[in-house]
Amino acid sequence: MTLLKGPWVDLRPGEKRLTSLMVANYFFLLFFYYLLKPARDSLFLTHLEPNHLPYVYILTALVAAPVTAAYARAGLKHRLDRL
């Protein structure tokens, strides 16, 4: 028996908690991304010139890549609902 059924949703009993945690995780990731991005750009622009802004994007990618890789490795070793 399913709680929700549709072309994109097949939520079974017992999956509600995990699904809620995953949705909350995704929501907060996007929320803080869109909240912090303008703050990062404006703080940067108050201290340095706008022509240096591309370097911030490159630095952000260089920092995010190892963090994402570490998170992916942790996801292989630990249960995702505990991670």
Side-chain angles (χ1 to χ4, degrees), residues 2-67:
T2 61
L3 296 174
L4 293 173
K5 185 108 171 136
W8 298 289
V9 179
D10 186 14
L11 189 60
R12 296 180 179 93
E15 295 177 342
K16 186 176 181 179
R17 180 179 178 271
L18 181 59
T19 303
S20 299
L21 288 172
M22 291 173 64
V23 168
N25 182 33
Y26 187 68
F27 171 77
F28 285 117
L29 283 173
L30 288 178
F31 176 75
F32 286 113
Y33 173 75
Y34 286 114
L35 184 71
L36 293 176
K37 184 178 177 183
R40 176 199 65 194
D41 293 347
S42 64
L43 284 173
F44 176 80
L45 291 174
T46 60
H47 296 302
L48 295 173
E49 299 174 10
N51 61 345
H52 290 99
L53 191 58
Y55 297 119
V56 172
Y57 294 135
I58 293 170
L59 182 62
T60 301
L62 291 175
V63 170
V67 171

Side-chain angles (χ1 to χ4, degrees), residues 25 29 64-78 80 83:
N25 182 33
L29 283 173
V67 171
T68 304
Y71 184 76
R73 267 182 283 160
L76 294 174
K77 294 179 182 178
H78 304 287
L80 292 180
L83 188 61

